[in-house]
Amino acid sequence: MTCAAGTNNFKPNPFFGKIDYIRVYRGLLPVEELNNSPHNPVPGLPPPNQAPVALCRDASVDADAGCLGTIAASMLDGGSYDPDGDHLTLSIDNTGPFSAGSAGQATYPVTLTVSESQAGGLSSSCQANVTVTDTTPPGLALSDPVCSVDGRGRLATRVTAGASDACSGESAAQITGVQIVNNGGQIVRGRGVFQVDGSDLFVYPNGTGWTAVVTMTAADTRGNSATGTIRKPLPKCK
């Protein structure tokens, strides 16, 4: 480079050649400013830390008896990794519990975060869907008998079949079989002993110590079904 005396003008000399690399000492610039690309590292300096790669997968869980489901972060991990081989920790923004809802199935978005375990480590996130499904059959019940009248005004002992489900709530059950047993354990036969009307069973003026043996079935909104038999002692209605 040449410079004329008493002036601020200068003329650079041309350079012809090849520069292999430029060495910059740490005292001049921070390493972070020099080494900012993992693909073009500065010779002699450690490579930069790279963020982990978060890979998600959707998950399905069965609801418990209370119509709720929970998840763990590992259930949503689809193979997340760290390019540098750093140890990773997994976390999610919502572990539940998640309700299957009255329809018996519901889906929720959940964010998975993958973090390097060292202090000041980098992290990345992705989103997955969690589906909770009701797989529990409804519970069956038979009401306590009451003295009532049927649709024709006849005196009878009435019991009602029902079902209860944690997700879809209470519903009627279908009566599929009836036996009336006397106090000696014998089946009471004959026309007009009982009548089924929907989920109601009417037993007509009966003897002391009679018992209704009722078989019923029910299904919830998800299609889970249950079948069972319940025995109920009957009062004598007059």
Side-chain angles (χ1 to χ4, degrees):
M1 177 180 68
T2 60
C3 181
T7 70
N8 292 327
N9 299 321
F10 65 91
K11 181 179 180 181
N13 294 324
F15 172 79
F16 300 96
K18 178 181 179 182
I19 299 176
D20 292 331
Y21 65 90
I22 297 175
R23 175 174 295 177
V24 180
Y25 292 93
R26 295 193 182 197
L28 300 178
L29 290 174
V31 174
E32 290 78 9
E33 294 185 20
L34 297 172
N35 193 18
N36 59 5
S37 172
H39 305 291
N40 299 287
V42 175
L45 297 179
N49 184 31
Q50 299 182 67
V53 178
L55 299 175
C56 280
R57 62 177 178 177
D58 295 337
S60 298
V61 295
D62 293 340
D64 59 18
C67 195
L68 300 173
T70 58
I71 59 169
S74 58
M75 298 171 62
L76 304 183
D77 182 29
S80 303
Y81 65 95
D82 188 88
D84 306 314
D86 295 328
H87 182 267
L88 298 177
T89 58
L90 306 176
S91 62
I92 48 180
D93 63 342
N94 192 354
T95 60
F98 305 98
S99 173
S102 59
Q105 187 176 75
T107 299
Y108 302 86
V110 177
T111 299
L112 171 72
T113 299
V114 182
S115 304
E116 295 173 338
S117 57
Q118 70 267 28
L122 302 176
S123 65
S124 61
S125 300
C126 56
Q127 190 175 83
N129 291 320
V130 175
T131 300
V132 184
T133 304
D134 175 22
T135 58
T136 303
L140 301 174
L142 192 63
S143 70
D144 290 334
V146 295
C147 292
S148 180
V149 292
D150 65 9
R152 297 181 181 180
R154 295 176 296 178
L155 180 65
T157 303
R158 176 173 56 86
V159 293
T160 301
S164 179
D165 186 82
C167 293
S168 55
E170 295 183 358
S171 63
Q174 179 182 359
I175 296 175
T176 58
V178 175
Q179 284 185 340
I180 306 300
V181 180
N182 62 24
N183 56 5
Q186 298 173 324
I187 297 175
V188 179
R189 302 183 186 277
R191 189 172 182 179
V193 174
F194 67 86
Q195 177 183 341
V196 175
D197 184 5
S199 59
D200 290 328
L201 168 66
F202 294 93
V203 181
Y204 296 100
N206 52 280
T208 302
W210 283 16
T211 298
V213 182
V214 182
T215 301
M216 66 192 77
T217 185
D220 60 20
T221 54
R222 188 61 188 166
N224 304 304
S225 62
T227 299
T229 299
I230 299 177
R231 301 173 65 93
K232 237 4 154 168
L234 302 174
K236 184 174 178 60
C237 293
K238 296 181 180 180

